[in-house]
Amino acid sequence: MHFFLRLLVRTMRFKNTSIALTATVFILFSASVAFLLEPGTFRNWFNALYWVLTTMSTVGYGDYYAKTALGKLLTIFLYIFGIGLLSVLIGKVLDSIAFIQRQREAGLLSFQGKDHFIVINWGKKAQYAVEEILTRLPEAQIVIIDEIERHPMQRHSNVHFICGDASAEETLEEAGLQSARAAIVFADARIEEPALADGKTLLIASSLERIAPDIHTTVEIIQEKNVQNFRYINVNEFVLSYDAISRLAARAAMKEGNADIFNQLLSRRRGDDIYEVPVRPEWRTYGDAFGDLLERGATLIADRADLGINRKRHEPIPADAKLYIVADEATYLAIAGKTGV
């Protein structure tokens, strides 16, 4: 008896894989012994296995039970050691789950998915960006990279967190950069000096483009004069931060209504929005697209970053065009063929 007690204590110190292996061997061995002792009671080995499991889990339905003295001794043995071993196994499983949860909260688990969005440098703007993505694409997978101590959005199961330096290659590998859909780099709000904040963003963007040059990258830039530095590393999109907000506020003060137009375009809750629409085969020129879209209730505003296409109505639409319209959601869905016209 003392030997078995010592064995149980040592088992509690085993690693999870050793515990699982020990429990499996113990259950299979006990089922084999039970069937050998009372073949008439259990009739086959599977019934003996079923009896061992119900006994160890203290369920004990009573449909099978030991009838011989040796069988009853085996039952007592299972009560004392089998239940203890199963309890240790369950405890280890719960500990593993808790450990994984702690690792997830601390940002120490690598992301294993693909076609996900990577959001770098946590803050209010990053939070709004994540919420916007989840609103538009509820099933989207998002990976947040920052050096904060805890996962900032634990309640969202499809939002993963990586704790680390976003300019470090190992951190970006843990975030699955190579298989990502897009990356967004926000300026670090903890850095007060604009030039230094843009410098850190530039370092991160350089790492992104070096490791995964085909990933669509969007960066927030605080000072417009620094845009030229980012063009050398082939960043796809630039978003000006404080400069744009200041200019919008100034224009709103000088002429009423400007800010409301921008707020409608930026807000998903009110007014029209900007959407990308597929190029239809019958649209040969920009003028064709303008006319057709106006008939459908939408306004064509740009081809990629070109806002001057209203002056190019007679020019043919290039094969790689990306057309953007201003419309409400229902009109966009009808044009895109996602619902009835």
Side-chain angles (χ1 to χ4, degrees), residues 205-221:
S206 300
S207 298
L208 294 175
E209 294 298 324
R210 176 176 58 83
I211 298 171
D214 295 329
I215 299 298
H216 187 279
T217 308
T218 303
V219 299
E220 178 193 16
I221 303 174

Side-chain angles (χ1 to χ4, degrees), residues 54 63 66 107 121 139 161 215 225 332:
T54 56
D63 46 355
N121 288 331
E139 302 302 320
F161 171 54
I215 299 298
K225 65 180 182 179
Y332 159 69

Side-chain angles (χ1 to χ4, degrees), residues 296 330-331 333-335 337-341:
R296 295 169 177 267
T331 301
L333 292 175
I335 293 171
K338 299 182 180 180
T339 187
V341 178

Side-chain angles (χ1 to χ4, degrees), residues 178-191:
Q178 295 281 7
S179 58
R181 175 175 176 177
I184 307 173
V185 185
F186 287 96
D188 193 335
R190 292 159 294 196
I191 301 177

Side-chain angles (χ1 to χ4, degrees), residues 5 9 44 56 89 91 113 121 129 169 176 196 234 241 256 267 304:
L5 287 174
V9 171
N44 59 63
M56 289 179 62
L89 178 61
N121 288 331
E169 184 171 349
L196 293 178
N234 299 320
S241 182
E256 184 179 351
S267 174
R304 296 182 182 271

